[in-house]
Amino acid sequence: MNQEFYNEMEKLLSPEAILINEPMSKHTTFRIGGNADMFVSPEITQVPAIMRLAKEYQVPVTIVGNGSNLLVGDKGIRGLVLAFGKAAETVTVDGNHITAGAGALLSKIAAEAVKNSLAGFEFAAGIPGTIGGALVMNAGAYDGEMKDVLVSAKVLTKEGQVIEVKAEDLDISYRHSCTPEKEYIVLEATICLQEGNEEAIREKMADFRGRRINKQPLEYPSAGSTFKRPVGHFAGKLIQDADLRGYTVGGAQVSEKHCGFVINKDHATAADVWELMCQVRAIVKEKFGVELEPEVKRLG
């Protein structure tokens, strides 16, 4: 890591906030990943200055949230990893609108919604990610998606400007928004919910939580659903029908509980997971003629 860049970063952040050769396995729900050259988790207001410095010193930057949808390579990530974490998890409620910093966990936002008797965000309560990451990929579950509630986002452009973008201008579709293509960094998001009954909202969240526990392999590290839903099919059902339940490569396994999940069964490497995903895709394509597209994002 460039020493001059490090010295300049120390002027922006406290030394203890700058982690060198930080294992990414600590920051992904897969519990997999080599080291990041430099890892920081700044406040929202510090992000523009950090990005200006990185541009000046030509340091590549990788943006992550809670690491719940990532497969980080075994050799790690070069340059700077900027993680939206606790320092960027502000949540404010104004009537039926909730504005949250990019690092706010969806579970925390859902809890605030319940306390304020606001309905419509129950689908997100069990998704183990941040609102920034959820917006980027239009995360969803149980027939709900971010696009259903999103009003606007505050983003940092590649030119270094902080702008407000309306939801309809983010080209949101299934597991997609235009933020990666436009190189936007999501700093904040505002959602709009409906007035509801607190008890009914809690019951709905409890129902979703129970379904997750019963159907998903939460006892193992994973990145959630491994593949996107193909048109007219369900990825998990195709994988199951291909007789791949429990299929293993190294320490990675197609979950026996839910075939739509690849799990870190026994100290899997990123190479194990990726090879397993490639083999599953090839077998499903051969048997059913359906191309499975990864939902997990590969870094490093």
Side-chain angles (χ1 to χ4, degrees):
M1 177 55 65
N2 185 305
Q3 186 61 44
E4 288 184 30
F5 176 69
Y6 179 86
N7 293 340
E8 291 299 319
M9 286 289 288
E10 278 193 315
K11 296 175 183 177
L12 293 175
L13 304 168
S14 59
E16 59 269 20
I18 303 172
L19 304 177
I20 302 298
N21 292 324
E22 176 70 0
M24 288 301 295
S25 56
K26 292 183 178 180
H27 305 283
T28 65
T29 55
F30 246 141
R31 296 293 174 255
I32 290 172
N35 293 356
D37 289 344
M38 180 184 287
F39 183 97
V40 299
S41 187
E43 295 176 13
I44 293 290
T45 55
Q46 296 171 321
V47 175
I50 291 172
M51 294 304 295
R52 279 196 300 272
L53 265 185
K55 188 174 183 179
E56 180 183 346
Y57 286 92
Q58 297 182 317
V59 174
V61 180
T62 302
I63 308 292
V64 302
N66 196 46
S68 57
N69 195 46
L70 301 179
L71 176 63
V72 176
D74 299 312
K75 293 182 180 180
I77 302 175
R78 305 287 67 82
L80 172 68
V81 172
L82 193 160
F84 285 104
K86 288 186 177 180
E89 64 171 11
T90 55
V91 179
T92 57
V93 181
D94 182 11
N96 64 342
H97 285 68
I98 297 180
T99 298
L105 291 172
L106 298 174
S107 57
K108 180 177 179 177
I109 298 167
E112 286 297 316
V114 173
K115 284 197 298 184
N116 289 273
S117 299
L118 294 174
F121 205 65
E122 295 90 338
F123 75 89
I127 300 174
T130 61
I131 195 165
L135 189 162
V136 169
M137 68 168 289
N138 185 31
Y142 302 113
D143 297 322
E145 297 177 292
M146 281 298 298
K147 71 177 179 62
D148 300 331
V149 296
L150 184 69
V151 175
S152 63
K154 186 181 290 184
V155 304
L156 178 68
T157 69
K158 61 183 178 182
E159 291 80 24
Q161 295 177 301
V162 176
I163 62 172
E164 192 87 16
V165 184
K166 293 180 180 178
E168 54 264 36
D169 295 325
L170 288 169
D171 188 27
I172 300 176
S173 57
Y174 176 67
R175 301 297 177 266
H176 170 269
S177 76
C178 70
T179 53
E181 295 99 273
K182 294 198 173 184
E183 298 181 46
Y184 288 160
I185 297 174
V186 178
L187 303 177
E188 194 176 85
T190 297
I191 60 174
C192 180
L193 306 177
Q194 302 84 44
E195 292 182 14
N197 177 274
E198 182 179 343
E199 186 177 343
I201 296 168
R202 289 190 186 279
E203 286 178 2
K204 191 171 184 180
M205 285 172 58
D207 173 46
F208 289 164
R209 183 166 57 249
R211 290 196 228 174
R212 273 194 167 86
I213 291 170
N214 289 333
K215 295 182 179 179
Q216 297 180 8
L218 303 180
E219 63 272 29
Y220 291 103
S222 79
S225 297
T226 307
F227 299 101
K228 295 180 181 179
R229 184 178 65 242
V231 176
H233 300 275
F234 291 98
K237 181 70 163 56
L238 287 169
I239 296 167
Q240 177 181 311
D241 291 348
D243 296 323
L244 293 172
R245 184 186 298 276
Y247 190 79
T248 301
V249 171
Q253 182 186 69
V254 172
S255 169
E256 296 180 81
K257 192 173 186 179
H258 189 315
C259 292
F261 286 64
V262 169
I263 60 172
N264 180 356
K265 179 75 180 289
D266 184 20
H267 301 92
T269 63
D272 291 340
V273 172
W274 187 248
E275 178 60 26
L276 176 57
M277 289 173 62
C278 290
Q279 290 188 28
V280 166
R281 293 180 74 192
I283 293 168
V284 167
K285 180 70 180 296
E286 182 183 355
K287 289 195 172 187
F288 306 113
V290 178
E291 190 78 56
L292 292 179
E293 185 181 348
E295 185 167 315
V296 175
K297 185 178 179 183
R298 199 177 175 203
L299 295 178

